[in-house]
Short mmCIF file of all heavy atoms in Angstrom, two decimals:
data_model
loop_
_atom_site.label_atom_id
_atom_site.label_comp_id
_atom_site.label_asym_id
_atom_site.label_seq_id
_atom_site.Cartn_x
_atom_site.Cartn_y
_atom_site.Cartn_z
N GLN C 1581 1.06 6.82 2.92
CA GLN C 1581 0.54 5.92 3.95
C GLN C 1581 1.43 5.95 5.19
O GLN C 1581 0.93 5.96 6.33
CB GLN C 1581 0.44 4.50 3.42
CG GLN C 1581 -0.66 4.32 2.38
CD GLN C 1581 -0.60 2.97 1.69
OE1 GLN C 1581 0.29 2.17 1.94
NE2 GLN C 1581 -1.56 2.71 0.80
N MET C 1582 2.75 5.99 4.97
CA MET C 1582 3.67 6.05 6.09
C MET C 1582 3.49 7.35 6.87
O MET C 1582 3.55 7.37 8.11
CB MET C 1582 5.11 5.94 5.60
CG MET C 1582 5.50 4.56 5.10
SD MET C 1582 5.32 3.29 6.38
CE MET C 1582 6.52 3.84 7.58
N ILE C 1583 3.24 8.44 6.13
CA ILE C 1583 2.99 9.72 6.80
C ILE C 1583 1.71 9.64 7.62
O ILE C 1583 1.67 10.09 8.78
CB ILE C 1583 2.91 10.86 5.77
CG1 ILE C 1583 4.30 11.12 5.17
CG2 ILE C 1583 2.37 12.15 6.40
CD1 ILE C 1583 4.29 12.09 4.01
N ARG C 1584 0.67 9.03 7.02
CA ARG C 1584 -0.60 8.94 7.74
C ARG C 1584 -0.49 8.12 9.01
O ARG C 1584 -1.07 8.47 10.04
CB ARG C 1584 -1.68 8.35 6.82
CG ARG C 1584 -2.24 9.34 5.83
CD ARG C 1584 -3.55 8.85 5.25
NE ARG C 1584 -3.36 7.70 4.40
CZ ARG C 1584 -3.15 7.75 3.10
NH1 ARG C 1584 -3.08 8.91 2.50
NH2 ARG C 1584 -2.98 6.66 2.38
N ILE C 1585 0.25 7.00 8.94
CA ILE C 1585 0.34 6.16 10.14
C ILE C 1585 1.38 6.69 11.12
O ILE C 1585 1.44 6.23 12.26
CB ILE C 1585 0.67 4.69 9.78
CG1 ILE C 1585 2.07 4.56 9.17
CG2 ILE C 1585 -0.38 4.10 8.87
CD1 ILE C 1585 2.49 3.14 8.93
N SER C 1586 2.19 7.68 10.69
CA SER C 1586 3.23 8.21 11.56
C SER C 1586 2.88 9.56 12.17
O SER C 1586 3.61 10.07 13.02
CB SER C 1586 4.55 8.35 10.79
OG SER C 1586 4.98 7.10 10.29
N VAL C 1587 1.79 10.15 11.71
CA VAL C 1587 1.42 11.49 12.16
C VAL C 1587 0.18 11.44 13.04
O VAL C 1587 -0.80 10.77 12.72
CB VAL C 1587 1.17 12.43 10.95
CG1 VAL C 1587 0.63 13.77 11.40
CG2 VAL C 1587 2.46 12.62 10.17
N ASP C 1588 0.24 12.13 14.16
CA ASP C 1588 -0.89 12.23 15.06
C ASP C 1588 -1.95 13.12 14.42
O ASP C 1588 -1.68 14.29 14.11
CB ASP C 1588 -0.44 12.82 16.40
CG ASP C 1588 -1.59 13.02 17.35
OD1 ASP C 1588 -2.38 12.08 17.53
OD2 ASP C 1588 -1.72 14.13 17.90
N PRO C 1589 -3.17 12.62 14.19
CA PRO C 1589 -4.18 13.40 13.46
C PRO C 1589 -4.63 14.66 14.20
O PRO C 1589 -5.04 15.64 13.57
CB PRO C 1589 -5.34 12.41 13.28
CG PRO C 1589 -5.14 11.38 14.34
CD PRO C 1589 -3.66 11.27 14.55
N LEU C 1590 -4.58 14.65 15.53
CA LEU C 1590 -5.05 15.82 16.29
C LEU C 1590 -4.04 16.96 16.24
O LEU C 1590 -4.40 18.12 16.02
CB LEU C 1590 -5.31 15.42 17.75
CG LEU C 1590 -5.70 16.56 18.70
CD1 LEU C 1590 -7.01 17.21 18.25
CD2 LEU C 1590 -5.80 16.07 20.14
N THR C 1591 -2.77 16.63 16.43
CA THR C 1591 -1.76 17.68 16.59
C THR C 1591 -0.91 17.93 15.34
O THR C 1591 -0.31 18.99 15.21
CB THR C 1591 -0.81 17.31 17.74
OG1 THR C 1591 -0.10 16.10 17.40
CG2 THR C 1591 -1.57 17.09 19.04
N GLY C 1592 -0.83 16.94 14.46
CA GLY C 1592 -0.02 17.09 13.26
C GLY C 1592 1.45 16.78 13.46
O GLY C 1592 2.23 16.85 12.52
N ILE C 1593 1.86 16.42 14.68
CA ILE C 1593 3.25 16.01 14.90
C ILE C 1593 3.32 14.49 14.89
O ILE C 1593 2.30 13.80 14.82
CB ILE C 1593 3.82 16.60 16.21
CG1 ILE C 1593 3.11 16.01 17.43
CG2 ILE C 1593 3.72 18.11 16.20
CD1 ILE C 1593 3.76 16.41 18.75
N SER C 1594 4.52 13.95 14.99
CA SER C 1594 4.71 12.50 14.93
C SER C 1594 4.01 11.81 16.11
O SER C 1594 3.94 12.34 17.22
CB SER C 1594 6.20 12.17 14.93
OG SER C 1594 6.84 12.74 13.81
N ASN C 1595 3.50 10.60 15.84
CA ASN C 1595 2.74 9.88 16.86
C ASN C 1595 3.59 8.79 17.54
O ASN C 1595 4.79 8.71 17.33
CB ASN C 1595 1.48 9.27 16.25
CG ASN C 1595 1.79 8.29 15.13
OD1 ASN C 1595 2.94 7.87 14.96
ND2 ASN C 1595 0.78 7.90 14.38
N ARG C 1596 2.91 7.95 18.31
CA ARG C 1596 3.63 6.93 19.07
C ARG C 1596 4.29 5.90 18.16
O ARG C 1596 5.38 5.39 18.47
CB ARG C 1596 2.69 6.23 20.06
CG ARG C 1596 3.44 5.32 21.02
CD ARG C 1596 2.54 4.73 22.10
NE ARG C 1596 3.36 4.01 23.06
CZ ARG C 1596 3.94 4.54 24.13
NH1 ARG C 1596 3.80 5.84 24.36
NH2 ARG C 1596 4.68 3.82 24.94
N TYR C 1597 3.64 5.59 17.04
CA TYR C 1597 4.25 4.65 16.09
C TYR C 1597 5.59 5.20 15.59
O TYR C 1597 6.60 4.48 15.55
CB TYR C 1597 3.31 4.42 14.91
CG TYR C 1597 3.91 3.62 13.78
CD1 TYR C 1597 3.99 2.23 13.85
CD2 TYR C 1597 4.45 4.25 12.65
CE1 TYR C 1597 4.56 1.49 12.83
CE2 TYR C 1597 5.02 3.52 11.62
CZ TYR C 1597 5.07 2.14 11.72
OH TYR C 1597 5.64 1.42 10.71
N ALA C 1598 5.60 6.48 15.21
CA ALA C 1598 6.84 7.10 14.75
C ALA C 1598 7.87 7.15 15.87
O ALA C 1598 9.07 6.96 15.64
CB ALA C 1598 6.55 8.51 14.24
N TYR C 1599 7.38 7.39 17.08
CA TYR C 1599 8.28 7.43 18.25
C TYR C 1599 8.94 6.06 18.46
O TYR C 1599 10.16 5.97 18.67
CB TYR C 1599 7.49 7.83 19.49
CG TYR C 1599 8.19 7.58 20.80
CD1 TYR C 1599 9.24 8.38 21.22
CD2 TYR C 1599 7.78 6.52 21.63
CE1 TYR C 1599 9.88 8.14 22.43
CE2 TYR C 1599 8.41 6.28 22.83
CZ TYR C 1599 9.46 7.09 23.23
OH TYR C 1599 10.09 6.85 24.42
N THR C 1600 8.15 5.01 18.39
CA THR C 1600 8.68 3.65 18.58
C THR C 1600 9.71 3.31 17.50
O THR C 1600 10.76 2.72 17.77
CB THR C 1600 7.54 2.62 18.55
OG1 THR C 1600 6.58 2.96 19.56
CG2 THR C 1600 8.06 1.22 18.79
N THR C 1601 9.40 3.72 16.25
CA THR C 1601 10.32 3.48 15.14
C THR C 1601 11.64 4.22 15.36
O THR C 1601 12.72 3.66 15.18
CB THR C 1601 9.69 3.94 13.81
OG1 THR C 1601 8.46 3.25 13.61
CG2 THR C 1601 10.62 3.67 12.65
N GLU C 1602 11.54 5.49 15.79
CA GLU C 1602 12.75 6.28 16.04
C GLU C 1602 13.54 5.70 17.21
O GLU C 1602 14.78 5.66 17.18
CB GLU C 1602 12.34 7.73 16.34
CG GLU C 1602 13.50 8.68 16.53
CD GLU C 1602 14.26 8.98 15.24
OE1 GLU C 1602 13.74 8.64 14.16
OE2 GLU C 1602 15.36 9.56 15.31
N LEU C 1603 12.82 5.23 18.21
CA LEU C 1603 13.47 4.63 19.38
C LEU C 1603 14.28 3.40 18.96
O LEU C 1603 15.43 3.22 19.39
CB LEU C 1603 12.40 4.24 20.40
CG LEU C 1603 12.83 4.04 21.85
CD1 LEU C 1603 13.29 5.35 22.46
CD2 LEU C 1603 11.68 3.45 22.67
N GLN C 1604 13.69 2.58 18.08
CA GLN C 1604 14.37 1.37 17.61
C GLN C 1604 15.59 1.73 16.77
O GLN C 1604 16.65 1.10 16.89
CB GLN C 1604 13.39 0.52 16.80
CG GLN C 1604 12.29 -0.11 17.65
CD GLN C 1604 11.23 -0.78 16.80
OE1 GLN C 1604 11.17 -0.59 15.58
NE2 GLN C 1604 10.37 -1.57 17.44
#
Side-chain angles (χ1 to χ4, degrees):
Q1581 290 170 357
M1582 289 301 296
I1583 290 172
R1584 282 197 291 269
I1585 66 174
S1586 300
V1587 173
D1588 177 49
L1590 175 62
T1591 64
I1593 67 172
S1594 299
N1595 60 13
R1596 189 174 187 87
Y1597 172 81
Y1599 165 74
T1600 303
T1601 302
E1602 184 71 13
L1603 200 66
Q1604 291 171 347

